[in-house]
Each structure stands twice: as C-alpha cells, then as structure tokens.
Amino acid sequence: MHFYCSVCEKDYPIEGLNYQCECGGLFKLYKEKEEGITTTVSLGEVKTPILKRKLQEREVYLKLDYMQPTGSFKDRGAFTMVNKLKELGITEVVEDSSGNAGAAFAGYCAAAGIKCNIYLPESTSPGKIKQISAYKANVVKVPGTRDDTAKAILKAAETTYYASHVYNPLFFEGTKSLAYEIYEQIGIPDYIVVPAGNGTMLLGVYKGFKEIGKIPRIIVVQSKNCAPIFSKFKNQPVGEMKSTAAEGIAIQEPKRIDEMIEAVKDSKGDIVIVDDAEVIKAQEMLGEMGIYIEVTSGAAVAGMLQYFDKEYDNKLTIVVPLTGMGLKK
C-alpha cells in the first residue's frame, strides 16, 4: 500500500512528510485487492440509520450520517486514516479544518494516543472549537477564511505529518464506506445528493459505488455564496466568495476540483447552488420532523428540493446523507 502521483505516477510512502508530489500532482492510493487496514482504534462506530421520509411531496431516504462518534460523517475518513497512521508509528499530526474534520481527527487521535494539532479559522463555531479542545488537541486559530487556514498549515506540514482530509487519499478510503452501507441498506439508489466544499463525501461515495460496480447519479450542492465547483462545471466565472450559513462547504479553492467534476460527469449527475434562506429552511423542516442537523447539512436537503422541483418521479430512489448534527453549533 502506498501513494502515487495522479500526474506523473511517482510512488511515495504513506508515512512520509510529502502530502503531494514534487511535480505538484495530488496523491492517489495504491493497494492490492486483498490489502486492508488493520483497525485497532475505535470510538464505537455504527452503521448509521437510513430513514424514508416525505419532504414537500418528495419521498427520499435520509442517511443519518451525523450519528457517528464525533457527530459527523468525517469520522469515516478519520477512523481509517488514524488506524493506518497508528499502525505506521506516526506519533504527531497536523490538520486544518472548518470544524467537523478537526473534531473527527482530534477524537480518533486521542483514542490512538497520537498528538493532534488542529488549524482552523478563528470564525469557526464555538461549539466545534469546544469539542476539539475536549479531546485535548492543540487548537491553532487562523485569522481570515477557510482558505487562509489551508495556507497557514503548510509550514507546519514541513516538519509534522499532515493528516489532511483533502490531500491524503486514506481519508477517501474511509468515506467510501458510506456507499457500501447505502448499498447494504437499500441497494444502488438512482440519485445521491451531497453537499460539497472539499469534496470528501462526494469523492468517497463515487469511489465506493465505482468499486461496487454501479454509480448513482451524483447531485452536488454548493452555497450560492461560495460555488467554485458549480462555476467551473457550468463554465461560468467564479464569483467573489461571501459569508454563508453553510460554513462547512465554504471552500473557495478546492484542491481536487477537477476530480470532483470528473466524478459528477462520470455519474451523469449535476451541480446546483442554494442560498442561505433555502439552507436554513431545510434545516428547520427536518427539525419539525425530529431530526436535528447542523446548518451545512441543510444544503443537501435544499439542493434536493430544488433539483427535483419539476422532475420528481415517485419511482426514483433518492438518498440524501445528513453530514453533521445540530449540536455542532
């Protein structure tokens, strides 16, 4: 098992300090079919429930993926990566996050006995910072945007292992488990609607369903105030980033944007944008049904309602994963 460059195909060891190739290409993971990751670190992961509900006359399956140990789907990636790093003898990591990935890594690193340093925007929700601090991770607050945080961590990554949920392919190896669970629970859906900033869920479900052998149409949802993937997919100029209620997907320069667009095209899917009012309304709609999600999770629901406004067919199987619990903020 090792990393290799997606551009020049040069090989790199997983335990090295390189987080991307010297040529600038991003890593992919190579492993033999029979190779797996030994799991000695656990926080009590569960197969998250899937509920069939009617939202404004549209029947959909809601995958309650916030019911993970630290409260978000990011636990899938952190679980896999931290287990591998523990096996390789890594003793300290740095990671940058707008909140959920930071909490996931902080929690799993605490369980693994790995020192964890989380870089995050100083505007991150106090609830998320409190959670990360509870795991005794070292919190580094960075002034500015989420992208400023991503730039600030690169210096730390020169000397400490960068456990990145964006650069490190082990993270997608973990998030692909979402596809396998959905397949086990209801089979291959016709559509799956996912929010995307850095694309960790999008690339995970794409990888998982591709391995299974059939890919549902992937509908990606971005915030109208920060929609670089939508803009590139639609061949439109990228607008200036503005603040958004969906802070978890407010990524102005996603590193794997081309991979994400390729995944959407391969699935014959689409990308839509939603405004803050739609996102908050979707969150409130689920709250009225007894489901409490964080605001960013409402983006996928809002996108589903918008996309299937006129084209909805009750014979379709639609899955909307809910990414984070409402207690996060």
Side-chain angles (χ1 to χ4, degrees):
M1 190 182 297
H2 61 265
F3 295 153
Y4 69 94
C5 176
S6 57
V7 177
C8 71
E9 300 189 346
K10 182 179 178 180
D11 292 344
Y12 288 82
I14 291 174
E15 65 271 28
L17 286 180
N18 295 88
Y19 55 86
Q20 66 179 21
C21 183
E22 292 166 354
C23 78
L26 298 179
F27 288 157
K28 289 192 174 184
L29 178 68
Y30 173 83
K31 68 183 183 70
E32 300 287 350
K33 278 189 179 179
E34 66 279 3
E35 267 191 300
I37 292 173
T38 305
T39 54
T40 59
V41 180
S42 174
L43 288 174
E45 302 72 37
V46 297
K47 184 185 296 180
T48 58
I50 194 162
L51 303 177
K52 193 172 188 179
R53 292 290 184 269
K54 187 171 278 191
L55 302 178
Q56 294 183 351
E57 304 307 311
R58 304 162 184 79
E59 276 198 342
V60 299
Y61 285 95
L62 301 173
K63 175 75 167 158
L64 311 189
D65 227 43
Y66 57 81
M67 292 179 69
Q68 298 282 0
T70 76
S72 85
F73 84 95
K74 296 277 177 63
D75 285 354
R76 293 182 182 275
F79 168 76
T80 299
M81 194 192 302
V82 170
N83 268 286
K84 186 61 181 177
L85 299 186
K86 176 78 172 173
E87 178 192 326
L88 293 170
I90 302 294
T91 58
E92 182 175 2
V93 300
V94 293
E95 157 69 330
D96 55 314
S97 164
S98 60
N100 284 338
F105 274 108
Y108 278 96
C109 282
I114 296 173
K115 185 179 178 182
C116 185
N117 304 279
I118 302 295
Y119 285 60
L120 42 72
E122 62 181 3
S123 60
T124 298
S125 306
K128 290 180 179 178
I129 296 175
K130 186 175 181 181
Q131 183 184 11
I132 292 168
S133 300
Y135 301 131
K136 304 305 178 188
N138 175 38
V139 174
V140 181
K141 297 178 186 177
V142 180
T145 67
R146 175 66 182 83
D147 290 296
D148 291 325
T149 303
K151 291 168 186 169
I153 200 172
L154 297 184
K155 184 158 185 64
E158 292 174 5
T159 54
T160 308
Y161 191 91
Y162 187 14
S164 171
H165 63 291
V166 179
Y167 286 97
N168 196 312
L170 287 170
F171 200 84
F172 310 120
E173 191 67 13
T175 55
K176 78 177 186 185
S177 63
L178 177 60
Y180 281 89
E181 271 186 31
I182 292 169
Y183 177 59
E184 230 179 281
Q185 290 168 318
I186 62 166
I188 305 288
D190 297 302
Y191 288 85
I192 183 165
V193 185
V194 299
N198 274 313
T200 49
M201 177 176 277
L202 161 59
L203 293 174
V205 296
Y206 173 71
K207 180 179 175 69
F209 281 118
K210 200 167 181 70
E211 287 180 1
I212 292 166
K214 187 178 178 184
I215 310 168
R217 291 178 186 261
I218 301 172
I219 306 303
V220 170
V221 186
Q222 289 220 281
S223 166
K224 187 177 181 180
N225 288 351
C226 184
I229 312 166
F230 171 84
S231 298
K232 189 164 186 177
F233 184 74
K234 301 289 186 181
N235 294 313
Q236 297 177 3
V238 178
E240 183 185 349
M241 178 181 171
K242 301 174 185 173
S243 64
T244 170
E247 62 178 15
I249 54 172
I251 309 297
Q252 192 170 16
E253 299 176 8
K255 297 298 179 187
R256 294 185 182 268
I257 188 168
D258 292 334
E259 282 180 56
M260 287 187 260
I261 289 173
E262 186 182 324
V264 174
K265 286 181 176 177
D266 192 32
S267 77
K268 297 180 172 59
D270 203 350
I271 303 178
V272 299
I273 52 174
V274 292
D275 62 32
D276 280 2
E278 291 174 286
V279 172
I280 292 166
K281 184 179 177 182
Q283 182 202 29
E284 291 173 349
M285 183 188 304
L286 291 194
E288 291 169 1
M289 303 169 72
I291 299 170
Y292 188 32
I293 55 172
E294 67 172 333
V295 184
T296 298
S297 295
V301 178
M304 179 278 298
L305 293 172
Q306 181 196 117
Y307 187 79
F308 292 102
D309 184 27
K310 294 174 183 173
E311 302 299 320
Y312 177 72
D313 179 342
N314 61 12
K315 296 187 181 73
L316 294 174
T317 304
I318 304 163
V319 175
V320 183
L322 303 179
T323 53
M325 66 164 59
L327 296 174
K328 288 280 186 178
K329 189 170 182 178

